[in-house]
Amino acid sequence: MNENYLNLMDYVDKAGMIGYILLILFTLGISIMIWKSIHIFYFKSTREKYLQAVLEKVKEIADPTLCMKVSKSIIDEKMSELESGMSTIRIVASISPLLGLLGTVIGILQAFDVISKTGLGEPTAFAAGISLALITTVMGLIIAIPHYVGYNYLVRSINHFESVLLKEIDFKILKK
């Protein structure tokens, strides 16, 4: 293997405290996205059973309009449960590039601090600050992009599923 190759933890170490914060945010966000995906998949697989439970709760209501409003309220409650944790994914997607930018600023400050103390005669010390700047920027973007995509996919999936549930329940209520 190439001696110049750095593994992931070497990059995180070079990025310093901000690198570790970004790694924690990445782990948290990915864990929530996996958990939400499993939760949504499970709920979709038990959709018919859930619809029957909703119909059972509203079967005593004679007015179809009121019945549809009550069933919508029940479905909204379930959708809120599915949406829990989504804001954390959005926050990770939003603050990761900002933390990367913070690391960039810190790295540039370190580089200029080295220049002010040693002049341009010591390029390796100057390069360490620039390296920190670039690594944290890359880490922030690498973390943000999949979180933006995952968040948007999951939100769209939940909204579409809610729409399908509402149509199905309305159809079944009007049919009875």
Side-chain angles (χ1 to χ4, degrees):
M1 187 171 286
N2 186 351
E3 292 175 11
N4 295 327
Y5 176 76
L6 294 174
N7 67 29
L8 176 64
M9 287 312 293
D10 289 338
Y11 282 114
V12 174
D13 284 339
K14 281 188 169 203
M17 182 58 73
I18 292 179
Y20 287 105
I21 292 169
L22 285 167
L23 185 62
I24 290 167
L25 287 175
F26 176 77
T27 305
L28 175 69
I30 291 294
S31 299
I32 293 172
M33 283 195 293
I34 292 169
W35 171 64
K36 286 282 112 185
S37 297
I38 292 168
H39 194 184
I40 292 167
F41 176 77
Y42 173 75
F43 185 61
K44 283 182 177 181
S45 68
T46 61
R47 176 182 79 209
E48 200 56 44
K49 185 176 163 185
Y50 178 74
L51 288 174
Q52 291 304 321
V54 171
L55 286 172
E56 190 66 31
K57 289 179 181 178
V58 297
K59 73 178 182 181
E60 301 297 322
I61 302 172
D63 180 25
T65 305
L66 181 60
C67 190
M68 289 178 358
K69 285 182 181 179
V70 170
S71 64
K72 181 178 179 355
S73 174
I74 295 168
I75 290 172
D76 284 346
E77 187 177 313
K78 185 64 174 179
M79 291 303 113
S80 292
E81 179 185 320
L82 285 177
E83 291 169 348
S84 70
M86 296 300 293
S87 60
T88 303
I89 298 169
R90 186 181 65 225
I91 289 169
V92 169
S94 298
I95 67 170
S96 295
L98 296 173
L99 285 170
L101 180 60
L102 177 62
T104 300
V105 171
I106 291 170
I108 298 295
L109 282 172
Q110 286 177 355
F112 280 119
D113 188 47
V114 167
I115 290 173
S116 72
K117 290 178 182 169
T118 64
L120 289 174
E122 188 63 42
T124 55
F126 172 73
I130 299 301
S131 177
L132 169 68
L134 295 175
I135 289 172
T136 57
T137 302
V138 168
M139 284 181 70
L141 292 173
I142 286 173
I143 292 168
I145 292 168
H147 282 83
Y148 273 123
V149 171
Y151 172 79
N152 287 322
Y153 174 78
L154 290 171
V155 166
R156 185 183 176 291
S157 179
I158 291 169
N159 289 341
H160 176 72
F161 188 54
E162 180 180 18
S163 173
V164 168
L165 281 176
L166 289 171
K167 286 178 186 173
E168 286 182 21
I169 202 79
D170 289 350
F171 177 76
K172 289 181 181 200
I173 288 171
L174 292 174
K175 196 171 115 178
K176 73 173 185 173

